């Protein structure tokens, strides 16, 4: 079945540092790929998405590129802020499936 | 516009009691999903609805769990004879259709079974 593997945390960074969270996937079809974010005390929010190979999703300074050749969708941000402290989830949904398959989540803490 | 809403936001119950969790999806979204988020298991898919129909119930953890959706809108997740291991955050999401579409999540219901 479909699955997502993302790097384990927790990750602790200083403000303005570069953030990368690795995500790889296994899917039999042609999945859409997502990054969701969960800020402290809040629900899951869509951060960005990509629906086909080589697409780049971007939002709030975060970017991720759908790499079919390496089955990856790594999340990057060039300069993090304290407000980026959250749990980040990589997920996929196959067009022939109905559920989101999530990675385990990566907790990111940004210190001033 | 209004997002996905869930009620109650928090529920504390005693072991053995039944609980009902409600989800109100985004208007016009035909697909509705239930997930569970717990410390040990991460985010688990439970069940989805396309309209009022739930074609696959295999994600439900036991026969104590059931869900229904009426009028293609509101959904209720019922847990009978609750157990302590049912303690988790129950998340509802909706999407325009299923199969690769973006799912929008509600704030969740935090269930604590004492």
């Amino acid at each position: 079945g479909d699955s997502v593997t993302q790097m384990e945390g927790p990750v602790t960074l200083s403000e303005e540092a570069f953030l990368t969270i690795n995500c790889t996937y296994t899917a039999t079809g042609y999945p859409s790929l997502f990054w969701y974010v969960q800020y402290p005390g809040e629900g899951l929010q869509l951060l960005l998405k990509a629906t086909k190979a080589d697409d780049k999703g971007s939002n709030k300074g975060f970017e991720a590129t759908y790499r079919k050749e390496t089955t990856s969708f790594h999340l990057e941000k060039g300069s993090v802020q304290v407000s980026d402290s959250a749990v980040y989830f990589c997920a996929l949904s196959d067009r022939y499936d109905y559920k989101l398959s999530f990675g385990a989540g990566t907790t990111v803490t940004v210190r001033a | 516009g209004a997002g996905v809403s869930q009620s109650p936001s928090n529920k504390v119950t005693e072991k053995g009691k039944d609980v009902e969790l409600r989800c109100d999806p985004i208007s016009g979204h035909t697909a509705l999903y239930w997930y569970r988020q717990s410390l040990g298991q991460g985010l688990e898919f439970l069940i989805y609805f396309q309209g009022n129909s739930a074609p696959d119930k295999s994600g439900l953890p036991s026969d104590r769990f059931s869900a229904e959706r009426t009028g293609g809108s509101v959904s209720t997740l019922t847990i009978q004879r609750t157990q302590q291991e049912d303690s988790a955050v129950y998340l509802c999401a909706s999407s325009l259709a299923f199969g690769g579409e973006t799912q929008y999540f509600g704030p969740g219901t935090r269930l604590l079974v004492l």
Side-chain angles (χ1 to χ4, degrees), chain A residues 14-94:
Chain A
S14 298
E15 255 189 329
E16 300 182 3
F18 184 85
L19 171 66
T20 298
I21 305 176
N22 289 340
C23 172
T24 57
Y25 67 89
T26 302
T28 53
Y30 301 92
S32 294
L33 302 174
F34 306 84
W35 278 99
Y36 281 85
V37 60
Q38 190 170 34
Y39 297 104
E42 298 185 15
L44 274 172
Q45 302 176 24
L46 177 68
L47 181 58
L48 53 84
K49 65 182 278 190
T51 59
K52 61 183 188 295
D54 300 325
D55 267 2
K56 178 186 284 188
S58 61
N59 186 26
K60 298 182 180 181
F62 289 89
E63 292 184 339
T65 301
Y66 189 143
R67 300 287 188 200
K68 187 178 178 185
E69 63 276 15
T70 54
T71 62
S72 64
F73 192 55
H74 305 322
L75 182 68
E76 297 181 337
K77 185 172 184 180
S79 177
V80 294
Q81 304 300 312
V82 172
S83 58
D84 294 324
S85 298
V87 182
Y88 293 83
F89 294 91
C90 185
L92 71 81
S93 176
D94 192 282

Side-chain angles (χ1 to χ4, degrees), chain B residues 7-83:
Chain B
S7 61
S9 53
N10 291 281
K11 176 73 176 178
V12 180
T13 190
E14 294 179 350
K15 178 181 172 181
K17 296 286 179 72
D18 298 351
V19 295
E20 284 190 353
L21 312 179
R22 176 189 167 107
C23 172
D24 220 322
I26 293 171
S27 177
H29 281 194
T30 60
L32 184 148
Y33 314 79
W34 284 97
Y35 294 85
R36 180 168 72 173
Q37 186 175 23
S38 55
L39 278 176
Q41 302 297 323
L43 275 153
E44 301 173 87
F45 168 80
L46 298 178
I47 190 170
Y48 90 104
F49 290 88
Q50 184 64 17
N52 292 333
S53 173
D56 184 358
K57 301 178 182 179
S58 61
L60 296 175
S62 78
D63 58 9
R64 296 185 294 104
F65 287 71
S66 63
E68 65 176 14
R69 189 180 185 193
T70 55
S73 181
V74 172
S75 176
T76 302
L77 177 69
T78 301
I79 309 173
Q80 295 179 308
R81 305 180 302 282
T82 52
Q83 303 295 311

